[in-house]
Amino acid sequence: MSFGMQDKYKQRNGRFQLERQVAEDERTAQDIADHAMDVEPPKNGFDAFMRRYGWGILVALVVLAILGKVFWGIYQNAQTPKMLNIAGEIFVYDKKVKDPVEAQLEGTVRSALDRDLYPSEDEQTNVAEWVGQPYAVIDDTVYVYDGKDWYACHAAQQNVGGFLGEFFTPNRFHRYDRFLEETGDLPESVEAIDHYHARVMPYLTEKALFKMEMERQLSRFDEYCMVTFQSVHYPVQIEVTQASLQENAYNVTVTMENKARTVQQVFTGSYIEDEEGKIESFTVVFPD
């Protein structure tokens, strides 16, 4: 039965019901005529189709849109994140940002692998557009360029920041590599030493910084890790407990492994903070 015939059938059936009511309730013929004019017959087949199914289609489209958004979010979350390896430490894409004009360029992304793999080599990524582009660092955030936009990345593995995170992350942002390049066979210059300690300097008093430089605490640590571990497994386990005899004094235990987890070593140390929260005394004991 066509849509037009169905509508005519409904009109006739409705009229029949009214005629019956007229006989029973003494309704007038004008009521019947008014009822016939209530519903305008469809203009064509499409008009009849939309009258019958229009709301159902609209609801279905809304439901499909919502489901599509949900499944797209699930797909995005299931994907391997965009990552960059810098000196063995993994940084994960966070968001697109404006040009970090105040950032100092640190290096260039050198290679890429498949999107669903984790970069295991220095300055390697799983984002093809980042290869050959510069990256910069501000505090603990890495900014990487893709030729058009800048992207901010955060440290994915290290869960301790501040001074301890900086000191006990070996060769962080290639600090030891650059220190060796700047000094070579020459005596260590004041400028090279300042560059090398630049990221730990804000956390230390002048006295503590001088002691660290004179005792070569940082360079001894980086050299030890390079020889002992070659490649470090992250995150480095750092435990801090408050010393019982002095306020603002703390003990530190640091457990480190190589990437294959066949070598494990434990460092111990202590530090004391001044009233401003800066470290005024720091010691580190290397494994035997």
Side-chain angles (χ1 to χ4, degrees):
M1 184 183 291
S2 68
F3 292 116
M5 292 179 67
Q6 284 181 335
D7 291 325
K8 288 178 180 179
Y9 171 77
K10 288 183 176 180
Q11 287 179 345
R12 290 176 179 176
N13 188 55
R15 188 179 182 86
F16 172 75
Q17 296 295 332
L18 281 173
E19 288 175 347
R20 217 171 64 175
Q21 289 181 24
V22 167
E24 295 175 357
D25 304 333
E26 298 182 351
R27 297 185 67 172
T28 67
Q30 185 61 44
D31 291 333
I32 299 174
D34 291 343
H35 176 76
M37 300 298 293
D38 283 345
V39 179
E40 182 181 352
K43 298 176 182 179
N44 49 47
F46 177 75
D47 186 23
F49 176 82
M50 289 306 295
R51 291 190 187 188
R52 188 175 300 275
Y53 301 109
W55 280 105
I57 292 174
L58 180 61
V59 171
L61 289 175
V62 171
V63 171
L64 286 174
I66 294 173
L67 290 176
K69 186 174 182 180
V70 170
F71 284 117
W72 176 251
I74 294 173
Y75 170 75
Q76 290 288 83
N77 291 333
Q79 271 197 314
T80 304
K82 299 177 180 179
M83 293 177 290
L84 175 62
N85 183 317
I86 303 177
E89 190 176 359
I90 298 294
F91 292 85
V92 174
Y93 162 77
D94 187 20
K95 60 184 177 181
K96 186 187 294 186
V97 293
K98 296 180 180 179
D99 186 351
V101 292
E102 73 276 17
Q104 181 179 353
L105 296 181
E106 294 285 343
T108 301
V109 182
R110 295 186 292 182
S111 64
L113 37 61
D114 290 342
R115 179 68 178 79
D116 59 344
L117 298 178
Y118 284 70
S120 58
E121 298 179 7
D122 184 26
E123 295 182 331
Q124 186 180 65
T125 181
N126 60 351
V127 183
E129 293 79 9
W130 292 358
V131 177
Q133 300 295 342
Y135 65 86
V137 178
I138 301 177
D139 298 328
D140 290 327
T141 303
V142 172
Y143 298 87
V144 60
Y145 194 55
D146 71 350
K148 296 188 302 181
D149 301 299
W150 285 90
Y151 301 88
C153 303
H154 64 273
Q157 298 158 311
Q158 283 291 65
N159 50 18
V160 176
F163 169 75
L164 296 178
E166 287 292 338
F167 187 96
F168 288 108
T169 302
N171 193 27
R172 194 167 203 214
F173 299 122
H174 301 107
R175 67 187 178 200
Y176 191 61
D177 296 334
R178 292 198 173 94
F179 182 61
L180 294 179
E181 289 176 4
E182 290 183 15
T183 56
D185 297 330
L186 302 174
E188 298 173 0
S189 68
V190 173
E191 186 178 18
I193 293 172
D194 286 344
H195 289 169
Y196 183 54
H197 292 84
R199 291 186 62 85
V200 297
M201 195 178 296
Y203 302 103
L204 303 169
T205 63
E206 291 186 8
K207 178 181 177 181
L209 177 62
F210 180 76
K211 179 185 177 183
M212 181 173 292
E213 293 174 348
M214 294 300 296
E215 295 181 359
R216 300 182 66 250
Q217 290 176 330
L218 188 59
S219 59
R220 284 175 54 223
F221 172 77
D222 280 338
E223 182 180 9
Y224 181 94
C225 292
M226 183 179 68
V227 172
T228 305
F229 303 110
Q230 281 87 48
S231 181
V232 174
H233 172 75
Y234 289 101
V236 175
Q237 301 300 317
I238 303 175
E239 298 181 10
V240 180
T241 57
Q242 186 165 3
S244 58
L245 299 179
Q246 184 176 351
E247 188 177 1
N248 296 332
Y250 304 89
N251 296 320
V252 183
T253 302
V254 180
T255 304
M256 298 181 64
E257 299 175 309
N258 65 345
K259 202 164 188 178
R261 299 193 177 187
T262 57
V263 178
Q264 183 182 93
Q265 299 289 357
V266 177
F267 299 81
T268 57
S270 62
Y271 64 94
I272 301 173
E273 294 180 344
D274 65 9
E275 294 178 353
E276 298 178 353
K278 285 197 170 187
I279 294 175
E280 61 182 12
S281 174
F282 173 72
T283 61
V284 56
V285 179
F286 289 73
D288 296 333

